[in-house]
Amino acid sequence: KWFRSSGLTMLLPHGYEGQGPEHSSARMERFLQLAAEDRLQVVYPSTTAQVFHVLRRQQRRAFRKPLVVMTPKSMLRLPAAQSPVAELAHGQFQAVIADPAKPDPKRVRRVVLCTGKLYHELDAARNEGGGNPTVAIVRVEQLAPVPADEVRAQLARYPEAKAVWAQEEPENMGAWHHVLARFAERGGPVPAYAGRPAQSSPAVGSSKRHAKEQAKVIAAALGTADAAAANGAKDTSRARRG
């Protein structure tokens, strides 16, 4: 605002873990609003290496700009989020991370774009029962500035797939509207939304209700909810014919 550079870095607790509103949301959407004109950097890393490299990048850059890092508490003890020493010693921060499972592009019918903690839950659900080769999961680790070109390059790898943006936050919160606006202004297909409906509170206060909501978010993102609904309709139709 005052044409002064600032290297301010904030690590804010953010992650839907069933602990209520105060433990769930760093109000990502507000920081993304403030990030207009590239005033802020907002990231949501999914691994320890990504956290290390984004902090290193912040220190070594030739310019200073505030950095906001979303840091879920549950990832502190999540084995899937831990990185080997080699990833810390080499490489750099990746704004977009391709699916490490490397599914066959010809078989993929659904590309899920997500960020941070949710990736690990989606990946675990996808791998249940031997995995789902028709679903690819791409992580958008940097939310501001939006790496739109890199995201589009990932989507171009799967020309037959439907793109979906998945998030834990309610529809009126999180990164959805920020990302949607960037896709819309550049033209081309816009991802579908998979997440909680718009709500007045960042999260519910019941861990049981949270678990049910989270399961629905994951099912909607991976398309298993659509499959279950279709199977249910078939079963109903058969019952009526019977």
Side-chain angles (χ1 to χ4, degrees):
K1 181 178 180 181
W2 303 113
F3 299 99
R4 293 181 179 273
S5 61
S6 171
L8 172 68
T9 300
M10 295 187 288
L11 278 69
L12 303 179
H14 182 90
Y16 283 62
E17 299 159 341
Q19 299 298 315
E22 292 78 11
H23 290 259
S24 298
S25 181
R27 288 295 185 178
M28 178 196 299
E29 62 279 359
R30 296 180 181 177
F31 289 104
L32 292 175
Q33 289 174 345
L34 294 172
E37 301 177 292
D38 294 339
R39 299 288 182 171
L40 296 177
Q41 306 166 87
V42 181
V43 300
Y44 194 171
S46 60
T47 67
T48 51
Q50 281 286 90
V51 174
F52 171 76
H53 285 302
V54 78
L55 294 178
R56 182 174 180 272
R57 182 184 74 171
Q58 177 73 349
Q59 182 63 25
R60 292 181 60 84
R61 273 183 164 173
F63 59 88
R64 288 286 177 262
K65 186 175 293 187
L67 171 67
V68 181
V69 186
M70 302 293 155
T71 54
K73 295 181 180 179
S74 63
M75 284 178 59
L76 292 171
R77 48 190 181 274
L78 182 66
Q82 298 174 5
S83 302
V85 175
E87 291 186 9
L88 297 170
H90 305 284
Q92 60 186 5
F93 177 74
Q94 301 178 70
V96 177
I97 301 180
D99 193 335
K102 298 181 179 179
D104 184 354
K106 296 180 181 179
R107 300 183 64 185
V108 172
R109 293 296 178 268
R110 193 179 192 89
V111 180
V112 181
L113 303 172
C114 65
T115 190
K117 162 183 168 287
L118 185 59
Y119 163 75
H120 298 291
E121 297 181 64
L122 291 171
D123 187 49
R126 177 182 60 171
N127 293 335
E128 290 179 358
N132 186 345
T134 66
V135 176
I137 306 176
V138 175
R139 282 169 279 178
V140 184
E141 305 269 293
Q142 179 172 292
L143 298 169
V146 174
D149 292 337
E150 294 182 47
V151 174
R152 290 190 183 280
Q154 288 295 322
L155 295 179
R157 298 177 61 185
Y158 310 101
E160 303 299 324
K162 173 184 178 181
V164 177
W165 175 267
Q167 67 176 35
E168 300 180 299
E169 301 85 1
E171 187 176 0
N172 56 324
M173 304 177 195
W176 166 237
H177 287 290
H178 179 75
V179 171
L180 176 64
R182 299 305 172 275
F183 269 87
E185 71 184 12
R186 289 173 178 253
V190 175
Y193 171 78
R196 288 172 169 81
Q199 298 176 2
S200 58
S201 174
V204 296
S206 165
S207 58
K208 291 183 179 179
R209 183 175 173 184
H210 159 80
K212 291 181 180 179
E213 287 187 355
Q214 196 75 353
K216 289 181 179 179
V217 170
I218 293 171
L222 297 178
T224 53
D226 297 338
N231 291 334
K234 291 180 181 178
D235 293 341
T236 301
S237 178
R238 290 170 184 167
R240 288 176 180 174
R241 289 199 299 269

